[in-house]
Amino acid sequence: MGEVWIRTIHNSLVRADKVTEIASTRGSLHEDQGYSLKVIVDGKAHVVIDDAGLPGSLAERLEYARHLEDALLLAIDEARASEASVVVAFEPETDRWAFAAAAELTGGLSR
């Protein structure tokens, strides 16, 4: 089985098997509106989604963020079934998690 990687908003990759927590917070990194979603690896937060434009009340935005946390877990599980290494990335245009072969994006990842 291949490895599963998660793409951050800064286009870096973190290994999914190293993630110890998935968390969302109210407000984006630069605004008090929207939300951000991050994965924690070795005590360091890596932002995966930063959305300042999501309308609604705080409760609605956090509920949406929790929905995306759950969807990320499902995407990681689905990607683990792949024989090749896979990158899971959030596609804001579709509000979905998408998969890409890691070798296509990086020229090949080594263990």
Side-chain angles (χ1 to χ4, degrees), residues 3-53:
E3 294 177 331
V4 178
W5 299 81
I6 302 169
R7 182 183 299 266
T8 71
I9 63 169
H10 299 295
N11 288 321
S12 62
L13 300 174
V14 294
R15 286 180 47 176
D17 63 343
K18 299 288 184 180
V19 171
T20 56
E21 182 180 351
I22 299 173
S24 51
T25 58
R26 67 175 183 84
S28 72
L29 296 176
H30 305 288
E31 302 283 337
D32 198 28
Q33 299 177 7
Y35 69 98
S36 63
L37 189 140
K38 57 192 162 210
V39 294
I40 311 298
V41 176
D42 294 329
K44 183 178 178 192
H46 301 272
V47 178
V48 180
I49 303 172
D50 183 42
D51 186 348

Side-chain angles (χ1 to χ4, degrees), residues 28-91:
S28 72
L29 296 176
H30 305 288
E31 302 283 337
D32 198 28
Q33 299 177 7
Y35 69 98
S36 63
L37 189 140
K38 57 192 162 210
V39 294
I40 311 298
V41 176
D42 294 329
K44 183 178 178 192
H46 301 272
V47 178
V48 180
I49 303 172
D50 183 42
D51 186 348
L54 185 66
S57 70
L58 175 59
E60 290 169 328
R61 293 190 315 256
L62 290 178
E63 179 61 31
Y64 182 73
R66 280 190 289 275
H67 164 75
L68 289 176
E69 289 176 23
D70 293 343
L72 175 56
L73 287 172
L74 290 172
I76 291 169
D77 286 345
E78 186 176 332
R80 283 187 177 134
S82 174
E83 294 295 319
S85 292
V86 173
V87 174
V88 177
F90 184 71
E91 296 291 333

